[in-house]
Amino acid sequence: MNKNRYRIGVLTSGMSRGSNLLAIRNWFNENQLPVDISFVVVTHRRAPVIERCQYFGLEHIFVSTKDMAEFEERVLTLISEREIDLIVLAGFLKKLSAEFLEKAAIPTLNIHPALLPKYGGEGMYGSNVHKEVFRNQESESGATVHYVNKCYDEGEIILQRKVGLEGCESPEQVAERVLKIEHETYAPAIWEALQRHRKL
Ligand code: GRF
């Protein structure tokens, strides 16, 4: 395989729309950076992200999360066979075991739709986060890209961007504003982590 390029693998879930996946792909293309999305793991046969993969020519691979040990084994094989440099979680909600992270021996990144350490932890995902932010009448929220470790949302932060919430009248409006920021934050953070991990 070409050692002068980086290869990333993406893990998604049944809830993933693929908007971050697309933003990542576009950012690397537009900036002409040597990063290839080697595969996208989908965990539901009808996940909306599949259509996006097909449209943009990204290989998607179905792996069930019914048995997490089997899931992790399969992803570890993919990481090794494809010589993956970094794993990106894009809407993947299950916890990855400490053993998996250790065996993978490459960085795994996640994006959280809030300003961690606030509004993180178990159960804090998707609309749950935005509902809480809205309920607390926060004046700002944002997106946080962090390394994944064995505790939900507690890994080292790589990049965090804020967005003002003036005029937001519902959790849905908060979500919309945050998603826009997510799309601007994830790819630069991945690029930063790739370079930290392996110099080309
Ligand atoms: C994003 O909101 C992200 O914060 C969370 O999962 C969602 C995925 O959305 N981790 P999409 O599939 O990228 O549109």
Side-chain angles (χ1 to χ4, degrees):
M1 279 195 225
N2 187 348
K3 288 279 170 204
N4 295 323
R5 296 186 69 81
Y6 292 110
R7 279 174 301 280
I8 63 177
V10 181
L11 307 188
T12 67
S13 74
M15 279 173 64
S16 298
R17 301 154 293 193
S19 73
N20 275 290
L21 173 68
L22 189 57
I24 291 165
R25 171 201 171 270
N26 290 347
W27 193 83
F28 286 128
N29 282 354
E30 280 156 20
N31 290 286
Q32 299 185 353
L33 293 169
V35 181
D36 299 319
I37 299 176
S38 175
F39 61 81
V40 178
V41 164
V42 301
T43 58
H44 288 76
R45 298 223 183 255
R46 281 189 293 275
V49 67
I50 294 175
E51 211 173 295
R52 281 224 151 120
C53 290
Q54 286 166 338
Y55 188 81
F56 291 99
L58 298 170
E59 182 184 355
H60 70 277
I61 301 170
F62 171 78
V63 188
S64 168
T65 48
K66 260 194 189 140
D67 181 330
M68 272 308 282
E70 268 179 30
F71 175 87
E72 291 185 343
E73 209 44 58
R74 179 83 180 96
V75 176
L76 285 171
T77 306
L78 281 168
I79 290 172
S80 130
E81 284 176 358
R82 307 277 182 112
E83 297 183 18
I84 297 298
D85 291 295
L86 184 143
I87 289 289
V88 170
L89 305 189
F92 185 79
L93 299 175
K94 299 261 186 189
K95 198 167 194 168
L96 292 165
S97 70
E99 201 189 356
F100 169 86
L101 296 169
E102 196 182 315
K103 280 189 185 165
I106 54 171
T108 297
L109 265 52
N110 181 44
I111 190 160
H112 187 78
L115 297 172
L116 289 175
K118 288 177 95 178
Y119 302 105
E122 196 156 3
M124 287 303 259
Y125 59 86
S127 59
N128 297 351
V129 176
H130 306 302
K131 276 181 196 155
E132 275 301 291
V133 168
F134 184 73
R135 198 173 62 83
N136 291 332
Q137 301 180 351
E138 296 283 2
S139 60
E140 60 183 18
S141 188
T144 307
V145 180
H146 63 93
Y147 289 103
V148 173
N149 66 13
K150 60 184 174 141
C151 302
Y152 272 118
D153 302 328
E154 286 183 17
E156 184 199 333
I157 291 173
I158 303 168
L159 190 58
Q160 189 166 62
R161 286 198 180 142
K162 293 181 178 175
V163 64
L165 298 180
E166 309 82 52
C168 277
E169 287 173 2
S170 65
E172 290 72 29
Q173 288 183 5
V174 173
E176 207 175 298
R177 241 176 247 194
V178 170
L179 190 62
K180 196 160 171 281
I181 290 296
E182 287 183 46
H183 295 163
E184 294 166 11
T185 311
Y186 214 170
I190 293 167
W191 179 239
E192 163 76 29
L194 280 168
Q195 288 169 293
R196 279 189 206 169
H197 167 67
R198 176 169 78 85
K199 296 267 173 269
L200 285 185

